[in-house]
Amino acid sequence: AVATVTALAICNSRLLARAALHNQIPSVFSLSHRTLATPVFSVALHLVISMAYCFITSIQVIVTVLVIVSWWFYLLCFVGILLLRKRGTPSSTKFQIPILIPGFLPVFTLSLILSP
C-alpha cells in the first residue's frame, strides 16, 4: 500500500507539472526545486487535495483517496487533450483518435470520481 501511495503521488505531480509546461494549466505548477527537480507546487496541490479527502473521511482510506486524486489528475489530462484538439494538432501528427473518445473520457472519469 505504501508503494502505491508513493507511486501515485510522484506520477500525478509530474503529470500536473507537464501540463503546466504546455500552458494547459497555470504555469506556477511547473516550478521545480533547484537541486531535486521536484515540481513543488504540483506536489503541494496533490497533498492539499489528498488531505481534504482525509478530513472528510477517515485516515484508513488513504489509498482510496489517492486513487480518487489520481482520477482528478486524469480528468485534467483528458480535458487537456480536448483543448489540444480544439487548438488544432501539429502537421507532424500521423494518428488522431476520433473526437468521441476524448469527449467521452472526461464524462466517464467524472462519473468514477463522483460515484461512492
Side-chain angles (χ1 to χ4, degrees):
V2 174
T4 302
V5 170
T6 305
L8 288 174
I10 291 170
C11 290
N12 291 333
S13 62
R14 301 274 178 190
L15 282 173
L16 191 62
R18 293 303 295 177
L21 282 173
H22 292 286
N23 296 323
Q24 295 173 353
I25 58 175
S27 62
V28 69
F29 294 113
S30 67
L31 298 177
S32 298
H33 190 270
R34 287 184 195 162
T35 56
L36 301 175
T38 305
V40 179
F41 290 108
S42 299
V43 173
L45 179 65
H46 194 275
L47 177 67
V48 167
I49 293 173
S50 299
M51 292 305 294
Y53 274 105
C54 284
F55 287 128
I56 292 170
T57 62
S58 65
I59 198 70
Q60 288 85 12
V61 295
I62 187 67
V63 173
T64 306
V65 166
L66 285 175
V67 169
I68 292 171
V69 172
S70 297
W71 280 109
W72 276 106
F73 285 107
Y74 294 143
L75 178 67
L76 287 173
C77 289
F78 296 144
V79 169
I81 290 172
L82 287 175
L83 290 174
L84 285 174
R85 287 292 296 265
K86 183 179 177 186
R87 289 183 192 165
T89 57
S91 60
S92 64
T93 303
K94 295 182 182 184
F95 177 74
Q96 268 190 351
I97 57 174
I99 192 67
L100 179 69
I101 295 172
F104 170 73
L105 287 175
V107 174
F108 177 72
T109 305
L110 197 58
S111 70
L112 285 176
I113 291 170
L114 298 176
S115 67

